[in-house]
Amino acid sequence: MDYSVERERMLRDQLMARGIDDPRVLDAMAAVPRECFVPEESHGLAYDDHPIPIGYGQTISQPYIVALMTQLLRLPDRATVLEIGSGGGYQTAILAHIADRVCAIERDPRLAERARETLDGLGFGHFEIHVGDGFDGWPDESAQFDGILIACAPDHLPEKPAAALKPGARMIVPIGPEGGMQELNIVTRQSDGRLKTEVHSHVRFVPMV
């Protein structure tokens, strides 16, 4: 099916009407076919403003939250991004539409393989998905990132990923207890090396384990 009408409605009613105004984010959300990242029986719900189960106890975040977190990163041109909790790959695709390189970590190898197949099928070539523990950060400990997006909720700030932030770069991370209300945090690496944290809003994500 052609979901272009639903995609345009999503852009207008869910994103632009709620303050998403970064042209790169809007272009990415318009270009990436969200229906490709949800189970076939949920294709008709792909552009509704709510999370959708994708199997193995995981969900794809609602479109507004995907766009919001991406916009909050404030990525520079030619960015390299770390994503933790890539799930089925939708957020990965949005980031890959904007950044030059996306390094993603997914704990479940079944979801990681599904994401690779979907992203490859859509023609994305500048991403890597590593199966592992997001708390450990990217396997190459020397890697530094222009932005880090965590799409699952730890109960505390993950230290190893945070250490990989470049000066001036941001980490967007929901922090809080499983099953409860969590706080979406903007963590910025300042020029003196310290981390500055501010709470943006309240959200609810699956736990980071």
Side-chain angles (χ1 to χ4, degrees), residues 53-74:
I54 57 172
Y56 312 115
Q58 303 300 308
T59 60
I60 180 174
S61 296
Q62 69 190 88
Y64 171 70
I65 291 296
V66 171
L68 173 65
M69 293 177 73
T70 307
Q71 179 165 286
L72 289 174
L73 279 177
R74 295 184 182 173

Side-chain angles (χ1 to χ4, degrees), residues 158-196:
E159 295 182 4
K160 286 188 176 180
L165 277 174
K166 291 181 180 179
R170 288 179 158 198
M171 171 192 286
I172 309 301
V173 51
I175 298 177
E178 178 180 357
M181 194 60 69
Q182 301 140 0
E183 294 179 333
L184 188 62
N185 287 260
I186 304 171
V187 182
T188 306
R189 172 74 65 191
Q190 300 184 95
S191 58
D192 61 5
R194 292 184 298 173
L195 295 175
K196 176 185 177 182

Side-chain angles (χ1 to χ4, degrees), residues 58 84 107 132-135 152-154 178 206-209:
Q58 303 300 308
I84 296 176
R107 184 173 180 270
D133 187 338
F135 283 104
C152 45
E178 178 180 357
V206 296
M208 180 172 170
V209 294

Side-chain angles (χ1 to χ4, degrees), residues 1-190:
M1 287 185 62
D2 180 3
Y3 290 94
S4 57
V5 172
E6 289 81 358
R7 201 173 298 128
E8 285 296 325
R9 187 181 299 119
M10 173 194 73
L11 290 171
R12 183 186 67 244
D13 297 343
Q14 299 177 33
L15 307 186
M16 298 173 69
R18 298 172 71 183
I20 303 301
D21 56 9
D22 186 325
R24 300 174 304 167
V25 176
L26 293 171
D27 286 348
M29 297 293 290
V32 176
R34 183 174 164 88
E35 68 273 12
C36 294
F37 295 90
V38 302
E40 185 174 358
E41 63 270 18
S42 298
H43 281 189
L45 305 174
Y47 294 96
D48 291 354
D49 195 30
H50 56 70
I52 298 173
I54 57 172
Y56 312 115
Q58 303 300 308
T59 60
I60 180 174
S61 296
Q62 69 190 88
Y64 171 70
I65 291 296
V66 171
L68 173 65
M69 293 177 73
T70 307
Q71 179 165 286
L72 289 174
L73 279 177
R74 295 184 182 173
L75 294 175
D77 293 335
R78 307 187 65 81
T80 297
V81 183
L82 175 64
E83 179 197 14
I84 296 176
S86 58
Y90 179 65
Q91 178 74 77
T92 314
I94 298 298
L95 292 171
H97 198 274
I98 298 171
D100 274 14
R101 182 187 179 208
V102 180
C103 301
I105 300 173
E106 171 52 47
R107 184 173 180 270
D108 192 312
R110 298 164 295 184
L111 283 174
E113 183 57 31
R114 182 195 297 174
R116 288 191 195 101
E117 291 177 357
T118 304
L119 290 161
D120 284 340
L122 292 172
F124 288 101
H126 46 289
F127 72 93
E128 303 171 59
I129 298 180
H130 168 72
V131 177
D133 187 338
F135 283 104
D136 292 336
W138 192 245
D140 179 2
E141 295 185 0
S142 67
Q144 295 284 292
F145 297 96
D146 299 297
I148 299 175
L149 189 153
I150 301 184
C152 45
D155 60 5
H156 63 280
L157 181 68
E159 295 182 4
K160 286 188 176 180
L165 277 174
K166 291 181 180 179
R170 288 179 158 198
M171 171 192 286
I172 309 301
V173 51
I175 298 177
E178 178 180 357
M181 194 60 69
Q182 301 140 0
E183 294 179 333
L184 188 62
N185 287 260
I186 304 171
V187 182
T188 306
R189 172 74 65 191
Q190 300 184 95

